Amino acid sequence: PLLTGVDILDMLIDSCLGKNVDFWPLSRYNFENNKKHAAVKMIFARPGIIDTLGDMDEVIKLPGVKYGKFNFKPGQRVEAINNATQRAGYVVITADTLSALEQRVFYVYDQLTVTDPEGQNMVIPLERTRLFP
């Protein structure tokens, strides 16, 4: 819905509940005219015990950040990454251009902190390569 204005999940839930679904928003949406960009970035952390989490409320105040959440709490152990269910959290970021989105993603990632008892940031940094084609 951030990009299209169409909430497919709400439509699916309504359909499953037997409600009448208005498909008009889908029929009028033109993908080629969409000038918005978004990224859902999963936050991964190296294995260890979490001592502190950064302030996600402050991260959400950054330009373009729409949502964000940590999936762990202090005192919990982060295990080695085997799949996406072991992510430490996520952020949803928007921008008007791909280059602006890329800049925002790197900036936001630089603000994320999950520290271990020694004060080391456990967040696995993004490689500083081009994120989008």
Side-chain angles (χ1 to χ4, degrees):
L2 286 174
L3 299 180
T4 65
V6 178
D7 192 329
I8 300 259
L9 184 57
D10 279 352
M11 295 172 88
L12 177 63
I13 291 169
D14 286 347
S15 177
C16 290
L17 293 173
K19 295 181 180 179
N20 191 18
V21 177
D22 178 10
F23 291 101
W24 172 244
L26 287 176
S27 66
R28 67 183 173 142
Y29 177 73
N30 184 331
F31 182 78
E32 292 177 0
N33 289 338
N34 183 19
K35 303 299 181 208
K36 300 175 186 176
H37 302 277
V40 177
K41 298 304 293 178
M42 303 303 166
I43 304 164
F44 289 96
R46 65 176 173 74
I49 301 290
I50 296 173
D51 186 53
T52 63
L53 296 170
D55 188 345
M56 187 58 78
D57 290 335
E58 288 300 313
V59 171
I60 292 171
K61 292 178 185 175
L62 296 173
V65 179
K66 300 300 181 186
Y67 309 105
K69 180 183 177 208
F70 286 118
N71 296 337
F72 289 91
K73 294 182 174 140
Q76 290 184 306
R77 171 175 285 286
V78 176
E79 300 296 337
I81 300 167
N82 290 316
N83 58 53
T85 64
Q86 292 164 307
R87 62 188 175 266
Y90 71 93
V91 288
V92 178
I93 306 164
T94 63
D96 291 332
T97 67
L98 280 177
S99 62
L101 180 61
E102 187 170 75
Q103 289 173 356
R104 286 180 175 178
V105 166
F106 284 129
Y107 183 74
V108 167
Y109 235 80
D110 288 342
Q111 310 311 308
L112 296 169
T113 57
V114 175
T115 59
D116 64 17
E118 289 78 40
Q120 299 296 311
N121 193 355
M122 298 168 63
V123 173
I124 298 172
L126 293 177
E127 289 187 34
R128 296 296 179 173
T129 58
R130 191 130 191 245
L131 298 176
F132 310 109

PDB file of all heavy atoms in Angstrom, residues 1-14:
ATOM      1  N   PRO A   1       0.803  -1.223   0.000  1.00  0.00           N
ATOM      2  CA  PRO A   1       0.000   0.000   0.000  1.00  0.00           C
ATOM      3  C   PRO A   1       0.840   1.280   0.000  1.00  0.00           C
ATOM      4  O   PRO A   1       0.373   2.312  -0.463  1.00  0.00           O
ATOM      5  CB  PRO A   1      -0.836  -0.101   1.270  1.00  0.00           C
ATOM      6  CG  PRO A   1      -0.460  -1.349   1.960  1.00  0.00           C
ATOM      7  CD  PRO A   1       0.536  -2.074   1.122  1.00  0.00           C
ATOM      8  N   LEU A   2       2.073   1.224   0.500  1.00  0.00           N
ATOM      9  CA  LEU A   2       2.917   2.417   0.478  1.00  0.00           C
ATOM     10  C   LEU A   2       3.194   2.891  -0.941  1.00  0.00           C
ATOM     11  O   LEU A   2       3.309   4.077  -1.187  1.00  0.00           O
ATOM     12  CB  LEU A   2       4.254   2.142   1.172  1.00  0.00           C
ATOM     13  CG  LEU A   2       4.244   2.055   2.676  1.00  0.00           C
ATOM     14  CD1 LEU A   2       5.610   1.625   3.185  1.00  0.00           C
ATOM     15  CD2 LEU A   2       3.829   3.371   3.299  1.00  0.00           C
ATOM     16  N   LEU A   3       3.316   1.959  -1.860  1.00  0.00           N
ATOM     17  CA  LEU A   3       3.637   2.310  -3.238  1.00  0.00           C
ATOM     18  C   LEU A   3       2.414   2.431  -4.125  1.00  0.00           C
ATOM     19  O   LEU A   3       2.367   3.248  -5.019  1.00  0.00           O
ATOM     20  CB  LEU A   3       4.579   1.266  -3.841  1.00  0.00           C
ATOM     21  CG  LEU A   3       5.921   1.098  -3.159  1.00  0.00           C
ATOM     22  CD1 LEU A   3       6.733   0.033  -3.876  1.00  0.00           C
ATOM     23  CD2 LEU A   3       6.672   2.407  -3.110  1.00  0.00           C
ATOM     24  N   THR A   4       1.431   1.590  -3.874  1.00  0.00           N
ATOM     25  CA  THR A   4       0.311   1.485  -4.802  1.00  0.00           C
ATOM     26  C   THR A   4      -0.991   2.086  -4.302  1.00  0.00           C
ATOM     27  O   THR A   4      -1.890   2.351  -5.090  1.00  0.00           O
ATOM     28  CB  THR A   4       0.026   0.002  -5.116  1.00  0.00           C
ATOM     29  OG1 THR A   4      -0.402  -0.638  -3.901  1.00  0.00           O
ATOM     30  CG2 THR A   4       1.254  -0.694  -5.670  1.00  0.00           C
ATOM     31  N   GLY A   5      -1.096   2.241  -2.987  1.00  0.00           N
ATOM     32  CA  GLY A   5      -2.364   2.675  -2.416  1.00  0.00           C
ATOM     33  C   GLY A   5      -3.369   1.540  -2.318  1.00  0.00           C
ATOM     34  O   GLY A   5      -4.490   1.727  -1.873  1.00  0.00           O
ATOM     35  N   VAL A   6      -2.978   0.344  -2.740  1.00  0.00           N
ATOM     36  CA  VAL A   6      -3.846  -0.826  -2.711  1.00  0.00           C
ATOM     37  C   VAL A   6      -3.338  -1.776  -1.625  1.00  0.00           C
ATOM     38  O   VAL A   6      -2.179  -2.178  -1.649  1.00  0.00           O
ATOM     39  CB  VAL A   6      -3.851  -1.554  -4.077  1.00  0.00           C
ATOM     40  CG1 VAL A   6      -4.709  -2.800  -4.020  1.00  0.00           C
ATOM     41  CG2 VAL A   6      -4.315  -0.612  -5.177  1.00  0.00           C
ATOM     42  N   ASP A   7      -4.197  -2.114  -0.685  1.00  0.00           N
ATOM     43  CA  ASP A   7      -3.801  -3.031   0.384  1.00  0.00           C
ATOM     44  C   ASP A   7      -4.297  -4.436   0.035  1.00  0.00           C
ATOM     45  O   ASP A   7      -5.416  -4.811   0.348  1.00  0.00           O
ATOM     46  CB  ASP A   7      -4.360  -2.579   1.730  1.00  0.00           C
ATOM     47  CG  ASP A   7      -3.729  -3.325   2.890  1.00  0.00           C
ATOM     48  OD1 ASP A   7      -3.354  -4.510   2.709  1.00  0.00           O
ATOM     49  OD2 ASP A   7      -3.600  -2.731   3.968  1.00  0.00           O
ATOM     50  N   ILE A   8      -3.438  -5.176  -0.628  1.00  0.00           N
ATOM     51  CA  ILE A   8      -3.782  -6.522  -1.087  1.00  0.00           C
ATOM     52  C   ILE A   8      -4.102  -7.436   0.104  1.00  0.00           C
ATOM     53  O   ILE A   8      -4.985  -8.279   0.014  1.00  0.00           O
ATOM     54  CB  ILE A   8      -2.614  -7.118  -1.903  1.00  0.00           C
ATOM     55  CG1 ILE A   8      -2.332  -6.237  -3.096  1.00  0.00           C
ATOM     56  CG2 ILE A   8      -2.872  -8.565  -2.267  1.00  0.00           C
ATOM     57  CD1 ILE A   8      -2.855  -6.669  -4.408  1.00  0.00           C
ATOM     58  N   LEU A   9      -3.374  -7.277   1.210  1.00  0.00           N
ATOM     59  CA  LEU A   9      -3.612  -8.115   2.378  1.00  0.00           C
ATOM     60  C   LEU A   9      -5.027  -7.917   2.916  1.00  0.00           C
ATOM     61  O   LEU A   9      -5.719  -8.891   3.216  1.00  0.00           O
ATOM     62  CB  LEU A   9      -2.581  -7.847   3.474  1.00  0.00           C
ATOM     63  CG  LEU A   9      -2.661  -8.733   4.714  1.00  0.00           C
ATOM     64  CD1 LEU A   9      -2.558 -10.209   4.352  1.00  0.00           C
ATOM     65  CD2 LEU A   9      -1.581  -8.346   5.706  1.00  0.00           C
ATOM     66  N   ASP A  10      -5.470  -6.678   3.021  1.00  0.00           N
ATOM     67  CA  ASP A  10      -6.848  -6.415   3.457  1.00  0.00           C
ATOM     68  C   ASP A  10      -7.857  -7.053   2.500  1.00  0.00           C
ATOM     69  O   ASP A  10      -8.857  -7.618   2.933  1.00  0.00           O
ATOM     70  CB  ASP A  10      -7.126  -4.911   3.560  1.00  0.00           C
ATOM     71  CG  ASP A  10      -6.623  -4.307   4.860  1.00  0.00           C
ATOM     72  OD1 ASP A  10      -6.195  -5.063   5.752  1.00  0.00           O
ATOM     73  OD2 ASP A  10      -6.660  -3.064   4.968  1.00  0.00           O
ATOM     74  N   MET A  11      -7.570  -6.959   1.205  1.00  0.00           N
ATOM     75  CA  MET A  11      -8.472  -7.557   0.215  1.00  0.00           C
ATOM     76  C   MET A  11      -8.523  -9.076   0.384  1.00  0.00           C
ATOM     77  O   MET A  11      -9.598  -9.675   0.315  1.00  0.00           O
ATOM     78  CB  MET A  11      -8.035  -7.181  -1.197  1.00  0.00           C
ATOM     79  CG  MET A  11      -8.153  -5.688  -1.490  1.00  0.00           C
ATOM     80  SD  MET A  11      -7.414  -5.249  -3.072  1.00  0.00           S
ATOM     81  CE  MET A  11      -8.818  -5.508  -4.137  1.00  0.00           C
ATOM     82  N   LEU A  12      -7.372  -9.686   0.623  1.00  0.00           N
ATOM     83  CA  LEU A  12      -7.311 -11.133   0.806  1.00  0.00           C
ATOM     84  C   LEU A  12      -8.082 -11.563   2.060  1.00  0.00           C
ATOM     85  O   LEU A  12      -8.852 -12.522   2.021  1.00  0.00           O
ATOM     86  CB  LEU A  12      -5.855 -11.594   0.902  1.00  0.00           C
ATOM     87  CG  LEU A  12      -5.635 -13.074   1.172  1.00  0.00           C
ATOM     88  CD1 LEU A  12      -6.172 -13.927   0.033  1.00  0.00           C
ATOM     89  CD2 LEU A  12      -4.161 -13.341   1.395  1.00  0.00           C
ATOM     90  N   ILE A  13      -7.878 -10.831   3.147  1.00  0.00           N
ATOM     91  CA  ILE A  13      -8.580 -11.156   4.388  1.00  0.00           C
ATOM     92  C   ILE A  13     -10.088 -11.024   4.196  1.00  0.00           C
ATOM     93  O   ILE A  13     -10.859 -11.905   4.595  1.00  0.00           O
ATOM     94  CB  ILE A  13      -8.087 -10.272   5.552  1.00  0.00           C
ATOM     95  CG1 ILE A  13      -6.645 -10.663   5.906  1.00  0.00           C
ATOM     96  CG2 ILE A  13      -8.997 -10.401   6.775  1.00  0.00           C
ATOM     97  CD1 ILE A  13      -5.949  -9.704   6.846  1.00  0.00           C
ATOM     98  N   ASP A  14     -10.515  -9.925   3.567  1.00  0.00           N
ATOM     99  CA  ASP A  14     -11.951  -9.744   3.315  1.00  0.00           C
ATOM    100  C   ASP A  14     -12.509 -10.873   2.464  1.00  0.00           C
ATOM    101  O   ASP A  14     -13.586 -11.404   2.739  1.00  0.00           O
ATOM    102  CB  ASP A  14     -12.212  -8.395   2.634  1.00  0.00           C
ATOM    103  CG  ASP A  14     -12.064  -7.224   3.583  1.00  0.00           C
ATOM    104  OD1 ASP A  14     -12.007  -7.434   4.817  1.00  0.00           O
ATOM    105  OD2 ASP A  14     -12.009  -6.078   3.089  1.00  0.00           O
TER     106      ASP A  14
END
